[in-house]
C-alpha cells in the first residue's frame, strides 16, 4: 500500500492510501463485487494504520481509500479530482453555501465543497438525512484547501480530502 502524505495536523487522525491491501484483510460476504471488496479491504487496511479510537469513518474513491479515527465523532471523504457541474449545486448546498462556492477562487472549489459536505454528513451519522441538511460555513481559503466551521479540505496530487475538525 502507498500512504498519501496528509497535512501535519491531520496525522494520527486520518490516512489515505492506494495500492493493494494486505491479504489478511478479508471483506465480509456482504461485499458482492470485486470493486466493493477491494474498497472495503483498502479502507479497513488504512484504518489499521491509525491508533484505536472510539469513532471511525471510511471513504473510497478508486484507486484511493481513506480512514479517520477520533475520540469524538469524525468524518472523512476522499474524491479523485474531476469536473463538477454548477447545475447540481442546489442538490447538496443551501443557497448561502452555493453562493460561497461560486465566489470561491480555489481551483476545484465545487469539489472541495462536495467533499466537505460528505465528511460533515458522515460525522453526524444518522442525524441528518441529506447533504443539503448538513450545514457547513466557509471560514477561510488556504493555498490548497478550504477551512469550514466543522471541516477542512486539502488537495493533494489528484485527490481532494476532507476531514472534520476535532472541535466540531
Ligand atoms: C452515505 C454517503 C455519505 C456515502 O458517500 P459515498 O461518496 O457514496 O461513499 P464513500 O466511499 O465516501 O463513503 C462510504 C462510507 O461511508 C460510510 N457511511 C455510509 N453511510 C453513512 C452514514 N449515514 N453516516 C456516516 N457514514 C456513512 C460507510 O463507512 C461507507 O463505507 P463502507 O461501506 O466501506 O463501510 C452518501 O451516500 C451520501 O452522500 N448520502 C447522503 C444523501 C445525499 O444527500 N446525497 C446527495 C444528493 S445530491
Amino acid at each position: 500500500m502507498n500512504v498519501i502524505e496528509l497535512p501535519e495536523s491531520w496525522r494520527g487522525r486520518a490516512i489515505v492510501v492506494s495500492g493493494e491491501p494486505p491479504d489478511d484483510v478479508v471483506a465480509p460476504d456482504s461485499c458482492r463485487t470485486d470493486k466493493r471488496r477491494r474498497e472495503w479491504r483498502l479502507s479497513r487496511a488504512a484504518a489499521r494504520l491509525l491508533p484505536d479510537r472510539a469513532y471511525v469513518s471510511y471513504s473510497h474513491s478508486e484507486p484511493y481509500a481513506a480512514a479517520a479515527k477520533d475520540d469524538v465523532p469524525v468524518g472523512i471523504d476522499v474524491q479523485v479530482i474531476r469536473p463538477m457541474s454548477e447545475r447540481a449545486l442546489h442538490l447538496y448546498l443551501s443557497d448561502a453555501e452555493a453562493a460561497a462556492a461560486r465566489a470561491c477562487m480555489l481551483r476545484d472549489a465545487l469539489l472541495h465543497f462536495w467533499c466537505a459536505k460528505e465528511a460533515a454528513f458522515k460525522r453526524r451519522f444518522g442525524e441528518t438525512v441529506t447533504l443539503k441538511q448538513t450545514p457547513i460555513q466557509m471560514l477561510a481559503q488556504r493555498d490548497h484547501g478550504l477551512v469550514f466551521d466543522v471541516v477542512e479540505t486539502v488537495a493533494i496530487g489528484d485527490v481532494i480530502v476532507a476531514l472534520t475538525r476535532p472541535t466540531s
Side-chain angles (χ1 to χ4, degrees):
M1 283 196 308
N2 316 306
V3 176
I4 312 303
E5 191 159 332
L6 295 177
E8 181 79 43
S9 61
W10 292 17
R11 289 188 203 148
R13 289 181 70 230
I15 189 159
V16 177
V17 300
S18 63
E20 287 308 310
D23 289 344
D24 66 334
V25 182
V26 180
D29 291 343
S30 55
C31 295
R32 298 206 182 277
T33 63
D34 285 347
K35 176 179 181 293
R36 180 70 189 117
R37 276 190 288 277
R38 178 186 145 71
E39 67 184 24
W40 193 97
R41 292 178 60 229
L42 195 57
S43 57
R44 270 57 182 186
R48 272 192 184 182
L49 301 176
L50 295 170
D52 281 341
R53 300 286 187 85
Y55 295 90
V56 61
S57 177
Y58 303 104
S59 182
H60 337 91
S61 186
E62 183 65 30
Y64 299 94
K69 290 184 188 173
D70 208 331
D71 293 328
V72 293
V74 64
I76 192 164
D77 196 67
V78 58
Q79 300 283 338
V80 169
I81 294 174
R82 61 186 185 279
M84 290 280 284
S85 166
E86 265 201 38
R87 276 179 303 167
L89 279 189
H90 70 284
L91 296 175
Y92 61 94
L93 298 182
S94 68
D95 290 349
E97 290 163 353
R102 285 196 190 90
C104 180
M105 299 306 288
L106 186 68
R107 189 173 177 169
D108 301 307
L110 302 188
L111 193 54
H112 281 265
F113 271 73
W114 168 262
C115 202
K117 276 271 173 161
E118 291 263 18
F121 175 88
K122 290 180 192 173
R123 182 187 68 88
R124 297 175 64 154
F125 210 115
E127 250 181 72
T128 48
V129 180
T130 64
L131 299 184
K132 195 161 178 168
Q133 292 170 342
T134 308
I136 56 171
Q137 187 181 358
M138 192 182 133
L139 303 178
Q141 179 178 328
R142 293 184 176 146
D143 286 348
H144 301 288
L146 299 175
V147 181
F148 296 85
D149 53 350
V150 293
V151 60
E152 291 183 13
T153 65
V154 65
I156 304 168
D158 65 345
V159 290
I160 291 171
V161 189
L163 178 67
T164 55
R165 301 171 72 182
T167 50
S168 62

